[in-house]
Amino acid sequence: MLAVKTLPSFKSTFSGSDLRRPSRLNGVPGFVQFSSTIRTRPLVRAVISDDKTVEPSKKSSAEEKGVNGSLVSGSSSVKEVRAVVTIRKKIKEKITEKIENQWELFMNGIGRGILIQLISEEIDPVTNSGKSVETSVRGWLPKPSEHTNILEYVADFTVPSDFGKPGAILITNLHGKEFHLLEIVIHGFDEGPIFFPGNTWIHSRNDNPESRIIFRNQAYLPSQTPPGLKDLRREDLLSVHGNGKGERKPHERIYDFDVYNDLGKPDKDEDLARPVLGGEERPYPRRCRTGRPPAKIDPLCESRIEKPHPVYVPRDEAFEEIKQETFSAGRLKALLHNLVPSIAATFSSSDIPFTCFSDIDKLYNDGFILKDDEQRELGDNLFIGNMMKQVLSVGQKLLIYEIPAVIRRDRFAWLRDNEFARQALAGVNPVNIEILKEFPILSKLEPSIYGPPESSITKELMEQELHGMSVEKAIEEKRLFILDFHDMLLPFIKRMNNLPGRKAYASRTVFFYSKTGILTPIAIELSLPPTPLSSRNKYVYTHGHDATTHWIWKLAKAHVCSNDAGVHQLVNHCPGKYAMELSSAAYESWRFDMEALPADLIRRGMAVEDPSVPGGVKLVIEDYPYAADGLLIWSAIKEWVESYVEHFYTEPDSVTSDIELQAWWNEIKNRGHYDKRNEPWWPKLATKEDLSGILTTMIWIASGQHAAINFGQYPFGGYVPNRPTLMRKLIPQETDHDFEKFIQNPQRTFLSSLPTKLQATKVMAVQDTLSTHSPDEEYLGQMNHLHRSWINDHDVLKMFDKFSAKLGEIEETINKRNKDTCLKNRTGAGIPPYELLLPSSGPGVTGRGIPNSISI
């Protein structure tokens, strides 16, 4: 379907000569004009499907020049139309950029900066292409825009009366650098203003001589595309589709695929080498291809690009100015946060651990403060430049962390078992808890390598914690749940524990859901790989009642939280030596059809099918904030998508006959997920229902689900004891020489097991950045006022307004739920409300808000 924004799906074999190369204007360097063949639009690069080219027709004898300099096809009657070209410049400009902008303003004013060609939906019988007229931007509107960084230029056309409806614009940037086009509006046609939304970067002809194609805000299925636009549509798709060759340039918009062969730096350090992800040995989704040269040591790996050079992404996908400023501020904040502890670490033999809880509290109350003499000493000794010294002198405010939401109302909430369990349902990673379906708990790993498959959590131990209820009865009544990282992590534990200062287990945690609606952890199993020297590799803990057992239980919970944080960050997001291999292992069990929220909840046993309720499922635990709120968002997205699909795909075979749509879906399966291309579970794309289901799942993943597991990272993880990202010690056993130290000072043992100050503050700074909304964030159901003319279809706009209103109602519903005293997982003394799926938000770390897509 031809729309304002399209996915790079269409794989074309079309070919042809490039006829939009500019020629010199009267020998003057820097200015161009188009040849007469271009003015009559005889040919585009992708014209026909049999790879035969068409010879350019000679210029029609009827072609003549209009009074304003535009070129038109012959006609006895003409009319004047005007194009208003809206460009966005940077908000913050360097002096050199301001000078350049003044020069560009002048060049645009005299008609030598931007060329535009208006293309009709109708075919010119002489050229067999869309009718066209051409002119250049000359001058600017006398009335300034209400936004200081928005410029509006004008271009006048003389068009024949039989021109037909304009359907596309070719725009050529004659300047030496790119500019950002917001939109072009054509005035003077009988139907009123005609909008051509851009919201795109227009490359300089110095980088690419081809013009950019901008279509009007009218959506078409491929079979409905007007004749005058078909060639342009093919060419536009071809221009963003990679062929697996060449190194990508920053100005390009090309989408192509490659394996993850750029994760390491083998040329710099052998220890920084990383395996290639993608292939039979380590299956993985494909990344955006960049085409950089191979590494010198390992030709299978791609060389890495270093700062300040940017990593290639298609130009319109890169951070915009405000987003980049927000992200850069976060990086500066991270630098300042980590500067002091890292400097301190250079003067000690090892990094500094927290010695008491007040050390952690100081991060939020006092921050890091350097006296003047300390700043001078550090600056002189560590060769910090003058700029960094200035930053240090004013950096006190930046060095103080905000108090995370998880301890803002109750500093000690994280210690309680019910809070530990609550975060499995309403925390930052509420997507792993499952119902316990059978007992005993069994591993699926190879017994000859990882030991007997049976868990050490026995029936007798479980029933001691169930207060008279049998395990069978608890399973039957759906009262037992599990958080199981055993099989995912155990194959990596040996290698992880060989890393300096890191010790981990593979954990299982069993929860009991009481008749009063409270979820409580009752047993934790922590496993290590078996060794020839020790047959015991599984340790089971319960909460107990004496002081020693209580502290050991806290350590066990901390290891579970570390597992959960590790899976959340390493599998769902982020870095580390074995992180991507771990992510590859998790991908082996990934299924697209299980990514839909209802399907995921049913798969985990957290819901059962029920067509009478929103989302079509009924929750097993009613007070499951992520799922309860998520189903409201899911249902709203589904309704919006279904109405949109129904509006355009009106015929029974309209989905199967949409060649662009089918090519897009095939590309996702066969190129994006090449290692799973033959899986039988891929949804078919044959009906409107198929398409609606696929799109709803994609939109949910990129909006609601990502918001739920991303923007709570600092609110929950910013307090290290609540969610340590790594542990540095195993739990002391009675036979260990450190056990007596644990008995004498259990708090010191607990804190020394957590990340060090440097490790903790690094993670906190990253979490703070990842949890931050940019001031220009665009949220689900909201429309940027600069993009108000995205589609010329009143029915679709009404659907969108209905969707927006529905999200407003959902926000009210969630706010009411957060005041319902019956819902203990989102209300109560010291309990933070569950707001991660509230659609709207302001900027900063808010712990709420659903952006339109994944933008960080």
Side-chain angles (χ1 to χ4, degrees):
M1 183 171 71
L2 176 59
V4 178
K5 286 287 187 180
T6 56
L7 291 169
S9 60
F10 187 72
K11 176 62 176 176
S12 174
T13 58
F14 300 95
S15 63
S17 58
D18 177 9
L19 295 184
R20 288 211 309 278
R21 295 188 180 278
S23 57
R24 296 286 181 184
L25 177 61
N26 298 328
V28 181
F31 302 110
V32 299
Q33 65 179 357
F34 286 98
S35 63
S36 61
T37 54
I38 290 304
R39 293 165 185 146
T40 55
R41 291 291 305 152
L43 183 66
V44 291
R45 190 157 54 100
V47 176
I48 50 178
S49 58
D50 59 1
D51 288 333
K52 297 178 182 178
T53 58
V54 177
E55 291 299 324
S57 302
K58 293 183 180 181
K59 183 169 65 173
S60 169
S61 60
E63 183 180 318
E64 60 185 32
K65 195 174 251 187
V67 294
N68 59 8
S70 65
L71 293 170
V72 301
S73 297
S75 174
S76 59
S77 176
V78 297
K79 62 174 144 184
E80 302 297 321
V81 300
R82 167 165 286 191
V84 177
V85 181
T86 305
I87 292 173
R88 187 187 69 200
K89 64 177 184 177
K90 291 178 65 175
I91 298 174
K92 296 180 180 180
E93 295 178 322
K94 301 176 183 177
I95 293 182
T96 54
E97 290 175 325
K98 291 182 178 180
I99 294 174
E100 289 175 350
N101 285 339
Q102 290 302 312
W103 174 250
E104 291 178 4
L105 192 71
F106 171 73
M107 298 305 292
N108 288 338
I110 63 174
R112 295 185 173 181
I114 301 173
L115 294 179
I116 55 178
Q117 192 174 358
L118 190 62
I119 310 298
S120 172
E121 294 180 349
E122 298 180 4
I123 288 287
D124 185 331
V126 176
T127 66
N128 202 32
S129 296
K131 298 176 182 178
S132 66
V133 292
E134 177 191 303
T135 190
S136 59
V137 167
R138 293 178 183 272
W140 44 89
L141 290 182
K143 182 180 178 181
S145 168
E146 60 183 283
H147 305 280
T148 56
N149 65 317
I150 303 297
L151 299 178
E152 294 179 330
Y153 297 99
V154 295
D156 293 320
F157 289 98
T158 299
V159 299
S161 58
D162 62 350
F163 185 78
K165 292 182 180 180
I169 287 176
L170 304 184
I171 183 166
T172 305
N173 175 10
L174 308 183
H175 297 295
K177 65 177 184 180
E178 65 183 2
F179 64 81
H180 192 274
L181 175 70
L182 284 177
E183 67 177 7
I184 300 175
V185 184
I186 304 295
H187 300 269
F189 284 90
D190 294 340
E191 63 182 282
I194 302 174
F195 293 86
F196 294 78
N199 195 29
T200 183
W201 289 94
I202 306 297
H203 60 262
S204 167
R205 63 82 186 261
N206 295 339
D207 293 321
N208 183 351
E210 293 189 3
S211 304
R212 278 293 307 280
I213 305 169
I214 308 296
F215 292 102
R216 69 175 295 185
N217 61 345
Q218 184 70 49
Y220 300 102
L221 296 181
S223 60
Q224 300 166 346
T225 304
L229 304 182
K230 286 186 176 180
D231 289 345
L232 289 178
R233 175 58 175 168
R234 294 189 186 111
E235 183 174 5
D236 192 47
L237 288 169
L238 188 64
S239 71
V240 297
H241 204 288
N243 59 6
K245 299 178 182 179
E247 182 174 357
R248 300 277 67 86
K249 303 299 188 295
H251 68 274
E252 293 178 333
R253 302 182 302 130
I254 293 175
Y255 295 80
D256 208 349
F257 298 89
D258 204 350
V259 295
Y260 277 85
N261 61 352
D262 63 342
L263 300 173
K265 297 181 180 180
D267 290 345
K268 185 175 182 180
D269 189 334
E270 184 178 342
D271 192 52
L272 296 178
R274 297 292 184 270
V276 174
L277 298 190
E280 186 174 346
E281 184 178 356
R282 297 182 182 88
Y284 210 65
R286 298 310 191 249
R287 67 176 175 96
C288 181
R289 183 184 175 277
T290 55
R292 295 189 299 268
K296 296 177 182 178
I297 293 180
D298 185 355
L300 295 179
C301 292
E302 191 172 89
S303 58
R304 288 282 290 266
I305 195 166
E306 302 293 343
K307 295 177 182 178
H309 304 291
V311 175
Y312 171 79
V313 293
R315 183 63 185 95
D316 289 335
E317 307 290 351
F319 280 173
E320 296 296 350
E321 182 183 4
I322 296 176
K323 182 74 174 181
Q324 185 61 54
E325 289 285 335
T326 303
F327 191 74
S328 297
R331 288 195 300 181
L332 175 60
K333 193 174 182 180
L335 170 66
L336 295 174
H337 276 311
N338 288 296
L339 185 62
V340 175
S342 63
I343 290 173
T346 63
F347 294 105
S348 62
S349 58
S350 62
D351 197 3
I352 303 170
F354 294 107
T355 57
C356 59
F357 285 99
S358 60
D359 284 350
I360 302 175
D361 294 338
K362 287 179 181 178
L363 296 174
Y364 319 109
N365 301 329
D366 302 333
F368 295 113
I369 302 176
L370 291 178
K371 298 177 182 178
D372 290 341
D373 56 343
E374 291 175 331
Q375 291 181 24
R376 286 194 298 271
E377 181 180 353
L378 292 174
D380 294 338
N381 292 340
L382 298 180
F383 307 103
I384 297 176
N386 289 332
M387 183 60 191
M388 181 52 68
K389 291 179 184 178
Q390 294 175 21
V391 171
L392 283 171
S393 66
V394 299
Q396 179 175 339
K397 292 182 179 179
L398 289 176
L399 291 173
I400 299 177
Y401 285 95
E402 293 183 18
I403 298 175
V406 72
I407 60 166
R408 192 175 297 150
R409 299 183 180 203
D410 184 351
R411 284 183 56 198
F412 304 106
W414 66 276
L415 286 167
R416 294 193 292 270
D417 285 354
N418 61 347
E419 176 61 19
F420 173 82
R422 188 189 75 86
Q423 291 185 30
L425 301 171
V428 69
N429 194 29
V431 297
N432 287 317
I433 188 169
E434 300 182 357
I435 199 166
L436 185 61
K437 298 178 181 178
E438 56 185 23
F439 199 87
I441 304 167
L442 299 176
S443 169
K444 296 180 181 178
L445 297 176
E446 175 56 49
S448 62
I449 300 175
Y450 299 104
E454 294 83 8
S455 167
S456 291
I457 300 177
T458 63
K459 185 175 186 291
E460 293 73 23
L461 183 144
M462 289 272 286
E463 291 181 346
Q464 288 177 15
E465 303 298 322
L466 295 178
H467 306 292
M469 181 180 285
S470 68
V471 170
E472 293 79 7
K473 184 68 171 175
I475 290 177
E476 180 185 345
E477 295 186 2
K478 298 183 177 180
R479 298 199 176 278
L480 291 179
F481 297 84
I482 188 169
L483 202 57
D484 193 347
F485 301 118
H486 179 276
D487 286 9
M488 182 186 295
L489 293 180
L490 192 60
F492 295 90
I493 292 296
K494 182 178 180 180
R495 285 183 286 170
M496 290 168 61
N497 286 350
N498 286 332
L499 294 173
R502 296 195 185 191
K503 298 296 178 185
Y505 301 92
S507 68
R508 288 187 178 111
T509 306
V510 177
F511 300 86
F512 177 68
Y513 183 57
S514 71
K515 293 182 179 180
T516 59
I518 302 298
L519 190 69
T520 308
I522 59 174
I524 293 174
E525 180 186 61
L526 302 178
S527 300
L528 295 170
T531 65
L533 300 178
S534 174
S535 59
R536 186 186 181 194
N537 69 316
K538 299 176 182 177
Y539 304 86
V540 178
Y541 303 95
T542 58
H543 53 80
H545 301 285
D546 63 276
T548 300
T549 307
H550 175 72
W551 273 103
I552 290 177
W553 176 246
K554 282 201 292 188
L555 282 167
K557 288 195 297 181
H559 274 281
V560 174
C561 290
S562 178
N563 273 190
D564 189 70
V567 168
H568 174 249
Q569 287 294 336
L570 306 185
V571 175
N572 299 338
H573 284 121
C574 251
K577 185 167 184 178
Y578 302 113
M580 298 305 291
E581 289 183 74
L582 177 60
S583 189
S584 173
Y587 177 66
E588 291 189 30
S589 61
W590 177 87
R591 294 177 50 157
F592 179 84
D593 60 330
M594 292 291 105
E595 292 297 303
L597 178 59
D600 173 62
L601 293 171
I602 292 172
R603 177 189 64 82
R604 291 190 284 123
M606 302 302 293
V608 294
E609 291 190 50
D610 185 346
S612 66
V613 295
V617 296
K618 181 180 180 181
L619 296 177
V620 172
I621 297 179
E622 182 182 356
D623 189 11
Y624 184 1
Y626 160 75
D629 295 356
L631 286 170
L632 294 179
I633 301 295
W634 168 271
S635 298
I637 294 172
K638 184 172 182 285
E639 183 180 345
W640 152 240
V641 169
E642 287 176 343
S643 62
Y644 190 93
V645 168
E646 181 69 32
H647 178 71
F648 286 103
Y649 293 89
T650 56
E651 302 299 324
D653 65 342
S654 53
V655 170
T656 54
S657 63
D658 187 335
I659 58 173
E660 293 181 12
L661 184 69
Q662 295 297 328
W664 167 76
W665 184 232
N666 287 330
E667 185 174 79
I668 288 172
K669 296 183 297 182
N670 298 322
R671 299 193 67 194
H673 292 277
Y674 181 83
D675 299 326
K676 289 184 174 286
R677 64 193 183 281
N678 295 322
E679 295 288 354
W681 42 254
W682 281 107
K684 305 295 183 184
L685 183 52
T687 67
K688 291 181 286 188
E689 292 74 22
D690 295 339
L691 177 56
S692 296
I694 290 168
L695 293 178
T696 301
T697 298
M698 289 181 172
I699 295 172
W700 159 252
I701 292 171
S703 58
Q705 189 194 58
H706 181 260
I709 64 175
N710 181 74
F711 293 104
Q713 291 190 72
Y714 185 80
F716 285 96
Y719 187 67
V720 182
N722 179 66
R723 193 171 174 79
T725 53
L726 61 88
M727 296 292 282
R728 300 192 301 128
K729 293 182 179 180
L730 299 177
I731 296 178
Q733 305 299 317
E734 291 186 10
T735 56
D736 296 343
H737 67 277
D738 283 342
F739 189 77
E740 186 59 32
K741 292 181 179 178
F742 161 68
I743 295 296
Q744 295 299 321
N745 195 335
Q747 176 178 288
R748 183 177 289 270
T749 298
F750 180 85
L751 290 172
S752 64
S753 300
L754 300 180
T756 64
K757 290 182 179 179
L758 176 57
Q759 291 170 332
T761 52
K762 278 184 176 180
V763 171
M764 290 166 67
V766 172
Q767 289 174 335
D768 180 78
T769 301
L770 293 176
S771 302
T772 299
H773 287 296
S774 172
D776 65 343
E777 196 87 85
E778 296 185 14
Y779 298 95
L780 196 65
Q782 296 182 1
M783 189 183 301
N784 189 312
H785 65 279
L786 295 175
H787 308 153
R788 60 189 178 274
S789 302
W790 64 281
I791 192 168
N792 180 32
D793 192 318
H794 294 294
D795 290 335
V796 171
L797 292 174
K798 288 179 181 178
M799 296 176 202
F800 186 81
D801 289 341
K802 182 180 178 181
F803 175 55
S804 300
K806 183 67 174 180
L807 291 175
E809 295 172 7
I810 290 173
E811 190 153 313
E812 293 179 5
T813 300
I814 294 175
N815 286 329
K816 289 179 181 178
R817 288 175 173 177
N818 286 333
K819 296 177 182 178
D820 187 343
T821 56
C822 295
L823 302 176
K824 303 299 183 183
N825 289 324
R826 59 204 311 161
T827 61
I831 301 296
Y834 187 76
E835 297 181 327
L836 287 169
L837 285 169
L838 283 173
S840 66
S841 175
V845 180
T846 64
R848 60 177 289 171
I850 304 177
N852 265 325
S853 62
I854 298 173
S855 59
I856 191 167

